[in-house]
Structures are given as C-alpha cells and as structure tokens.
C-alpha cells in the first residue's frame, strides 16, 4: 500500500511503544488480550459455520451477521497479533509500509462494520414497519449490494489517509505511542503541517459515526412509533424483542468508539494510557461480545423451536 521509505528524512521503520506508562504490566495484560482473541476467533467462526450449514438461517439478517463476523475477525487479526508480539517479546518494530497497511485495514474495516450496523437497522425498520413487503424488499441481491457498498465506502474513505501521511516528514521520532498504527497516533509524529490530515480524519469520523448513528437513530424512532401503535401488548413486546440483540451490538460497538474519538481529539488532559486502552477496547470488546449476544439469541430461539437466529418477523 505504501513504500517503506516515506520521505528522505523518515525512518523505514516505526516502533510501537505499547501502552505508555504500563510497560511493566505488558506480560500480565497479554493474558486477557490473548484470551479475548481466542474467544473472538472461536465465536465468530462458530457464527459463520452455523449460518453457512443451516439452510433455515439463510436470511437477510443472518447474512448481515455473517458480514459482521467476518469484519470482526479481520479487524482484530489486523491488530491483536502485533499487540501480543509487543506484550510478549517486545517486538515493537514495524515496517513503515506495514504500519500504513495496518492503519488502512483497521480503520476501513471499522467503517465497514458501521455500515453493516446501519444496514441491520434498516432491515429491522422494514421488517417491523412494512412486514408484508419485507421479503420482496430485502432480497439476497439487495443484501449483496449493501455489503459491497459497505466495502467500497470504507475503502474509498480510508484510501487517501496513507497517501496523505506519505507526504509528511517524520524528522523527530519514530516511536508511536500506541499498540498499533492508529491514524492520529501516526500523524502526531510528523514535524510539519498536519492540518490536512487532521481535518480529513475528523471529517471522515464525523461522516461515518455521526451519519450512521443519525440514520440508525431515525430508523429506531420510526420503529418505536410503529410499535406503539400496535393494539396488543404481546405484539409490542414481541416487536421490541426482535431488535434487542441489534441494539446491544450498537451500544457495544459505538460506545468505545465514541469515547476513544472524543478523548483522542478533545481530551488533552487525559492520560496517554487511557487513550490507548480505549482504542484497544474498541478492537477487543465488540468482536468478542457480538457472537455472544447473537449466540444467546439463537439459543433462545432454538429452545422455542423456531428456526431463526436473530428476529421473528
């Protein structure tokens, strides 16, 4: 994705410091990180396997869940093996080209995940507000197009960042105060004007997080209005129950992302290790908890002898 030699004054490698101030605890921190990574792999692979082998689960929402599981696997694998290498072996060195590639994949995959969560909210909106039209609207072709759109959006929005960083001069230090090559952590190393990089990163974050959350919120406002118009208490309870797992995943995914975003840009008095821990939570908790949330939902449905993983229309 990028040349290892970014500019004549730049080193060909960077050094990932890990969690500043907590270097003495890296080996201890590696235990929960490794355990969570194993859970991420096992849980998301199980979700993919179950949906792939169960014809009754070949439904739009389950396809979105497969996309979410694949993205979680890719995003966590882009960062956590290197994090563990730093914690276990102090393997902090990373080639500049590999650093930019890691940065691109982590952030692009996070944007894709946000797009999938938005698509899942739209799926619930159509299923609850227009149940008779759901099967004709959310076809396999539409789900595939939405998946492709998520990939294209993440790639196009994140694509310029490595090239914008290549134009910078890193003449002071090559030590990145982070466990992985996070965009702003790399930009802060530059000794020249970084206003273009900062402005572009802020605009993309606001567009993705703000825009997707706006439409997700709008979808659920319309869902709540439609559900409250139902005359039967049991029908209202069932309708709200169909969205429970998705709401949990939205909270799990966006909460650490928003905390990390605001503390990184506006929390100038927040300790550096807090920034790093929040950023790592975003790569650890959502991929670990998503299969648990949806897996428990599937178990409940199986106990009720229904052939659905997420929702009952």
């Amino acid at each position: 994705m990028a040349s290892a030699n970014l500019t004549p004054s730049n080193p060909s490698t960077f050094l990932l410091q890990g969690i500043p101030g907590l270097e003495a605890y890296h080996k201890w921190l590696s235990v929960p990180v490794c355990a969570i990574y194993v859970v991420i792999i096992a849980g998301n692979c199980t979700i993919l396997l179950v949906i792939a082998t169960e014809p009754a689960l070949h439904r739009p929402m389950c396809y979105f869940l497969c996309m979410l599981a694949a993205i979680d696997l890719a995003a966590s694998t882009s960062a956590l093996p290197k994090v563990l290498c730093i914690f276990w072996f102090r393997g902090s060195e990373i080639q500049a080209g590999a650093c930019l590639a890691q940065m691109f994949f982590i952030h692009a995959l996070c944007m894709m995940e946000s797009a999938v969560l938005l698509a899942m909210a739209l799926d619930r909106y159509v299923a609850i507000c227009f149940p008779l039209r759901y099967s004709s609207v959310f076809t396999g072709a539409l789900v595939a197009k939405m998946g492709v759109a998520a990939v294209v959006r993440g790639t196009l929005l994140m694509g310029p960042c490595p090239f914008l960083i290549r134009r910078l001069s890193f003449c002071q230090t090559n030590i990145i105060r982070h466990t992985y090559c996070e965009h702003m952590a790399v930009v802060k190393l530059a000794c020249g004007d970084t206003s273009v990089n900062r402005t572009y990163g802020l605009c993309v974050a606001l567009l993705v997080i703000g825009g997707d959350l706006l439409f997700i919120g709008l979808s659920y406002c319309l869902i709540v209005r439609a559900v409250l118009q139902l005359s039967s208490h049991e029908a209202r309870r069932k309708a709200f129950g169909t969205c429970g797992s998705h709401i949990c995943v939205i909270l799990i995914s966006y909460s650490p992302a928003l905390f990390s975003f605001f503390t990184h840009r506006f929390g100038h008095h927040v300790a550096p290790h807090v920034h790093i821990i929040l950023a790592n939570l975003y790569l650890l908790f959502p991929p670990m908890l998503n299969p648990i949330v949806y897996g428990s939902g599937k178990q409940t449905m199986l106990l009720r002898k229904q052939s659905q993983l997420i929702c009952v229309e």
Side-chain angles (χ1 to χ4, degrees):
M1 171 165 297
S3 171
N5 192 13
L6 301 179
T7 67
S9 61
N10 289 340
S12 60
T13 61
F14 288 107
L15 298 177
L16 292 166
Q17 186 177 358
I19 303 179
L22 299 179
E23 289 88 352
Y25 302 98
H26 276 178
K27 288 190 181 297
W28 291 104
L29 291 172
S30 69
V31 176
V33 171
C34 182
I36 290 173
Y37 187 40
V38 171
V39 173
I40 289 172
I41 294 175
N44 286 284
C45 286
T46 300
I47 291 288
L48 291 170
L49 180 62
V50 169
I51 294 177
T53 56
E54 181 54 61
L57 301 180
H58 293 175
R59 306 162 53 83
M61 184 57 110
C62 294
Y63 293 147
F64 289 132
L65 182 54
C66 284
M67 296 179 195
L68 200 64
I71 291 171
D72 284 341
L73 282 171
S76 58
T77 301
S78 297
L80 295 186
K82 183 61 180 178
V83 173
L84 290 173
C85 187
I86 295 170
F87 287 173
W88 284 339
F89 312 113
R90 298 183 180 178
S92 59
E93 184 174 285
I94 183 171
Q95 295 294 317
C99 181
L100 294 183
Q102 185 191 58
M103 179 188 70
F104 170 81
F105 283 112
I106 289 175
H107 291 297
L109 288 164
C110 290
M111 294 179 197
M112 296 174 198
E113 178 164 344
S114 182
V116 172
L117 291 175
L118 173 59
M120 294 168 79
L122 295 176
D123 173 276
R124 289 301 86 204
Y125 165 70
V126 175
I128 292 175
C129 297
F130 305 98
L132 298 179
R133 298 174 57 186
Y134 176 77
S135 298
S136 61
V137 172
F138 266 87
T139 62
L142 177 62
V143 172
K145 290 177 182 178
M146 296 176 81
V148 171
V151 173
V152 171
R153 187 188 74 158
T155 302
L156 291 180
L157 288 178
M158 192 58 202
C161 289
F163 297 100
L164 290 174
I165 287 179
R166 290 181 64 183
R167 54 182 280 277
L168 299 176
S169 177
F170 297 85
C171 54
Q172 296 179 353
T173 180
N174 67 334
I175 299 176
I176 301 174
R177 304 189 71 186
H178 214 296
T179 54
Y180 60 87
C181 293
E182 195 269 341
H183 176 250
M184 286 305 300
V186 177
V187 170
K188 286 180 178 179
L189 297 182
C191 52
D193 181 19
T194 61
S195 58
V196 175
N197 302 74
R198 292 174 180 270
T199 302
Y200 183 78
L202 180 62
C203 290
V204 169
L206 291 176
L207 175 64
V208 173
I209 298 178
D212 290 354
L213 277 178
L214 175 64
F215 285 109
I216 290 173
L218 179 61
S219 297
Y220 274 99
C221 286
L222 295 174
I223 288 173
V224 170
R225 188 182 68 173
V227 171
L228 292 179
Q229 292 176 351
L230 297 175
S231 58
S232 170
H233 174 75
E234 179 64 21
R236 290 197 298 269
R237 186 195 64 79
K238 186 176 180 180
F240 280 128
T242 64
C243 302
S245 297
H246 185 234
I247 293 174
C248 288
V249 168
I250 290 174
L251 294 175
I252 291 169
S253 298
Y254 283 108
S255 295
L258 289 172
F259 278 119
S260 179
F261 172 78
F262 285 115
T263 56
H264 208 27
R265 281 174 167 77
F266 307 111
H268 303 295
H269 300 293
V270 178
H273 68 270
V274 175
H275 289 293
I276 313 305
I277 292 174
L278 287 173
N280 280 273
L281 288 180
Y282 182 63
L283 292 177
L284 289 170
F285 280 5
M288 177 186 68
L289 295 178
N290 289 349
I292 296 175
V293 170
Y294 283 112
S296 61
K298 179 178 183 296
Q299 185 179 18
T300 301
M301 296 304 174
L302 287 175
L303 291 174
R304 294 176 183 176
K305 298 183 179 180
Q306 296 181 3
S307 61
Q308 297 180 18
L309 179 61
I310 309 299
C311 300
V312 180
E313 294 179 339

